[in-house]
Amino acid sequence: DDRRTLLVLVAALTFFMSAALDNLTTTIVMCSLLARLAPKSDPEFRSVAGGLIVIAANAGGAWSPIGDVTTTMLWIDGE
């Protein structure tokens, strides 16, 4: 299914972008991309994909010490 493939690709791209960029920046960029790629006739899919972007951005930021300010502070403190 094309929608499932789109979800996986967007989530993976969001995760790895967020590891290098700020979570909010990544979320805004990916939601803008999603607005172009996702069909406007399927608002439920767009909502699910938007939620997945937020989750993937937070997970990617937490995964990397440079993607999130809070994570950086924890890594510096040795937690």
Side-chain angles (χ1 to χ4, degrees):
D1 178 67
D2 289 336
R3 294 185 312 166
R4 185 177 188 150
T5 303
L6 179 62
L7 281 177
V8 170
L9 289 174
V10 166
L13 185 60
T14 301
F15 180 85
F16 289 109
M17 278 181 61
S18 181
L21 301 173
D22 180 55
N23 295 353
L24 184 59
T25 304
T26 304
T27 301
I28 291 169
V29 168
M30 294 309 292
C31 283
S32 298
L33 179 66
L34 181 69
R36 298 276 184 181
L37 297 176
K40 292 180 181 177
S41 61
D42 194 356
E44 183 179 347
F45 172 74
R46 292 175 79 134
S47 295
V48 169
L52 186 62
I53 287 172
V54 171
I55 292 168
N58 282 319
W63 176 68
S64 168
I66 61 171
D68 187 79
V69 175
T70 308
T71 306
T72 304
M73 291 177 0
L74 288 173
W75 279 60
I76 289 172
D77 193 36
E79 295 293 322

